[in-house]
Amino acid sequence: MSSIKKLVLIRHAHSLQAVNNAPDIQRELSATGIADTAHAAQWIISKKLVPDLILSSPAVRTLQTIRLICHHALFASENIQYDDRLYESSRRNYLKVIAETDNCVNTLFVVGHNFAISDLLIEITGASYSSMTPCSVASLVLDISSWAEIEAAVDVHFDIFNPANNHC
């Protein structure tokens, strides 16, 4: 039995460099990053993507990104769960986190960092996409009945928003 699952990968928006030797996890969004979240939200709305669950890295910049997208798209921010495994991580860890998702979730948003999120997009789609730029959003349609089948997904349909060349 197969069904459709939607996976939305979001790279955090443009962020400021660390100030006064602050830890990387505390970096905040830049003015450009803040503005780009509105465009990302418009694109997400135009694709009729509504999250059942949002998994985010605990980094300040990822939290700011998804909270602003939720604000602009009028999504409930209560659907955000933070997972430490999505910070300073690898595509393998992202796959593990996704595979553990409850199957009642049909549309899953994952908010994270490069290079793991770009590597994940390439692995799942087989596309030769070079890198998700800040605040890029990739929408993947997967013909799977369980998130545990994520690595076996074939013929994945996807669409990508890049704020540098796709302002709505």
Side-chain angles (χ1 to χ4, degrees):
M1 177 179 107
S2 70
S3 64
I4 300 296
K5 301 278 188 197
K6 294 180 183 176
L7 176 62
V8 178
L9 303 175
I10 304 171
R11 180 176 173 200
H12 67 77
H14 187 266
S15 58
L16 301 168
Q17 293 302 315
V19 179
N20 297 328
N21 296 322
D24 178 75
I25 199 167
Q26 294 178 2
R27 288 174 45 206
E28 296 185 359
L29 294 184
S30 67
T32 298
I34 291 168
D36 284 346
T37 63
H39 299 293
Q42 288 175 343
W43 185 85
I44 289 167
I45 291 166
S46 77
K47 299 296 178 183
K48 297 178 176 41
L49 298 167
V50 179
D52 296 317
L53 176 64
I54 301 166
L55 299 175
S56 177
S57 157
V60 169
R61 61 192 177 275
T62 55
L63 301 179
Q64 288 177 320
T65 298
I66 195 56
R67 286 178 181 151
L68 286 166
I69 287 173
C70 286
H71 169 77
H72 294 301
L74 303 178
F75 296 148
S77 58
E78 294 82 37
N79 290 340
I80 302 171
Q81 292 181 10
Y82 313 109
D83 194 312
D84 291 337
R85 297 174 294 172
L86 298 176
Y87 178 69
E88 292 187 340
S89 193
S90 68
R91 72 174 161 69
R92 300 282 340 135
N93 282 342
Y94 277 58
L95 283 168
K96 287 177 190 174
V97 170
I98 293 166
E100 293 170 5
T101 301
D102 190 298
N103 290 324
C104 70
V105 172
N106 289 311
T107 302
L108 174 64
F109 284 29
V110 177
V111 189
H113 309 268
N114 252 357
F115 290 94
I117 205 148
S118 291
D119 292 346
L120 179 62
L121 175 64
I122 292 165
E123 179 167 329
I124 295 173
T125 64
S128 59
Y129 197 74
S130 60
S131 178
M132 290 182 70
T133 59
C135 211
S136 289
V137 181
S139 168
L140 291 71
V141 178
L142 310 164
D143 189 9
I144 57 175
S145 57
S146 164
W147 289 107
E149 301 169 357
I150 186 75
E151 292 188 70
V154 294
D155 195 26
V156 176
H157 300 281
F158 68 100
D159 198 2
I160 297 176
F161 166 80
N162 176 335
N165 28 327
N166 287 324
H167 283 195
C168 298

